[in-house]
Amino acid sequence: YYFPCQRWLAVEEDDGQIVRELVPVDEAFVKKDSENDGQSLATLGLEQKAKSTTYTVKVKTGDKKNAGTDANVFITLYGSKDDTGIVSLKASKINKNKFERGKVDEFTVESVDIGDLKKIKIGHDNKGNSTGWFLEWVEIDAPSLGQCLKFPCGRWLDKSEDDGAIERIIFPAELQTTEYIPFVPYEITVYTSDIFGAGTDADVFIVLYGSDGICTQQKSLCLNKREQRMYFERNSVNQFIVELEDVGDIIEKIRIGHKGGGLNSGWHLDRVAIRRLLPNGK
């Protein structure tokens, strides 16, 4: 069994996760890759990402005295097929100090397909100075399901409050579930030209257009400024797996550009190749 990763396990890199679920890939894929250069080695990590689905997890701390916590918070998502295992909520995308009174924090959780979301377990390790936590709600956006689910709590996770529990199992509120068109993964390969000054450090984005006026949201290809500096160098090929709205079998056009700014924003783009991946990763 071959379990390639080729991705960061770091709070300040990639999606901020320090634990990854890996699924096996075909042995021939690994052997073919080892014969090629380092550029293609990165495609193994993308192979993993194509077999995963991404969840955006928002957590609301209540607006009560001492509601915030310094403890380490974890979550497990349970689906109809599987669960994510315990995921530490380390890197909030919104706040440097997470789980503060009255604040909403946002996290990325990546997992193999667990099916329809049924429940979550959320809790903390009770470590630190002020550990008690009043959890208002958790919201989970699952693009591959086309669902945004709300998990109301409104209770303490505190050994000296309520029933003394520091972890809770919460079920979604059906009336607060939002449905939309499910997202699918696209493999986007970007070729930067081989001419002087062709590379860019700007924030590159893309929009895909299908027939009947369907289009995706505008999506940045890089997750952070460090990736912007790494990618889109002169004469480079960069590949991304991006979950976007399904525009159908035919992509009629794309819009690609960047947001300017910085010292080296000008970019000479050679071409873009896009593959719509089917759910089984093919």
Side-chain angles (χ1 to χ4, degrees):
Y1 293 86
Y2 292 88
F3 296 87
C5 184
Q6 293 294 322
R7 292 181 65 190
W8 285 98
L9 285 79
V11 170
E12 68 282 357
E13 300 286 359
D14 202 337
D15 58 4
Q17 289 300 328
I18 55 172
V19 177
R20 296 208 175 279
E21 281 192 359
L22 302 177
V23 291
V25 302
D26 190 87
E27 181 182 358
F29 189 92
V30 177
K31 290 196 167 163
K32 177 191 76 159
D33 194 82
S34 62
E35 294 163 8
N36 295 328
D37 57 17
Q39 172 66 46
S40 62
L41 194 63
T43 63
L44 283 170
L46 291 170
E47 180 83 353
Q48 283 285 354
K49 194 164 184 178
K51 292 182 177 181
S52 301
T53 186
T54 303
Y55 302 92
T56 298
V57 178
K58 289 184 177 177
V59 180
K60 171 73 185 292
T61 299
D63 191 8
K64 289 177 178 280
K65 187 179 179 185
N66 300 323
T69 185
D70 296 330
N72 297 302
V73 174
F74 58 83
I75 192 169
T76 304
L77 278 54
Y78 295 89
S80 54
K81 299 179 187 173
D82 201 353
D83 66 70
T84 60
I86 295 171
V87 178
S88 294
L89 299 180
K90 291 275 190 189
S92 172
K93 293 189 164 186
I94 301 173
N95 305 305
K96 191 170 184 183
N97 292 326
K98 53 193 184 295
F99 310 122
E100 296 287 308
R101 173 179 173 173
K103 295 286 181 68
V104 175
D105 291 288
E106 183 178 312
F107 305 88
T108 299
V109 173
E110 202 174 274
S111 167
V112 294
D113 180 20
I114 61 171
D116 293 336
L117 269 175
K118 297 296 185 186
K119 63 182 180 181
I120 62 171
K121 181 163 72 176
I122 188 165
H124 61 78
D125 61 3
N126 209 44
K127 291 182 179 172
N129 293 324
S130 52
T131 57
W133 184 35
F134 190 88
L135 172 61
E136 196 73 58
W137 48 256
V138 178
E139 184 182 272
I140 299 179
D141 192 358
S144 63
L145 300 175
Q147 283 187 330
C148 185
L149 300 97
K150 196 77 162 270
F151 295 80
C153 180
R155 295 183 69 179
W156 286 97
L157 285 77
D158 187 339
K159 287 199 168 179
S160 58
E161 296 278 358
D162 204 335
D163 60 0
I166 57 170
E167 63 177 47
R168 297 200 180 279
I169 290 174
I170 316 173
F171 295 87
E174 284 186 30
L175 293 176
Q176 292 179 274
T177 298
T178 309
E179 306 265 349
Y180 57 91
I181 297 170
F183 283 25
V184 297
Y186 290 90
E187 179 190 270
I188 300 173
T189 309
V190 180
Y191 298 80
T192 299
S193 304
D194 186 14
I195 62 172
F196 180 74
T200 185
D201 292 337
D203 184 3
V204 173
F205 61 81
I206 194 167
V207 182
L208 277 50
Y209 294 83
S211 53
D212 301 323
I214 300 172
C215 70
T216 68
Q217 63 183 298
Q218 181 172 299
K219 181 78 172 179
S220 290
L221 293 177
C222 292
L223 290 165
N224 52 45
K225 283 192 160 49
R226 194 183 84 62
E227 286 193 359
Q228 287 172 213
R229 291 193 297 272
M230 275 177 57
Y231 298 140
F232 313 118
E233 297 291 299
R234 173 179 173 173
N235 196 31
S236 67
V237 181
N238 301 118
Q239 203 167 57
F240 306 89
I241 301 292
V242 182
E243 284 182 298
L244 290 167
E245 294 92 338
D246 189 353
V247 297
D249 294 332
I250 297 169
I251 300 174
E252 294 204 335
K253 65 176 182 178
I254 66 170
R255 188 161 65 92
I256 189 166
H258 63 75
K259 297 176 183 176
L263 293 172
N264 306 302
S265 63
W267 183 35
H268 198 286
L269 171 63
D270 183 56
R271 65 190 190 276
V272 180
I274 299 178
R275 271 199 319 150
R276 177 171 168 260
L277 302 176
L278 298 174
N280 62 3
K282 292 286 169 59

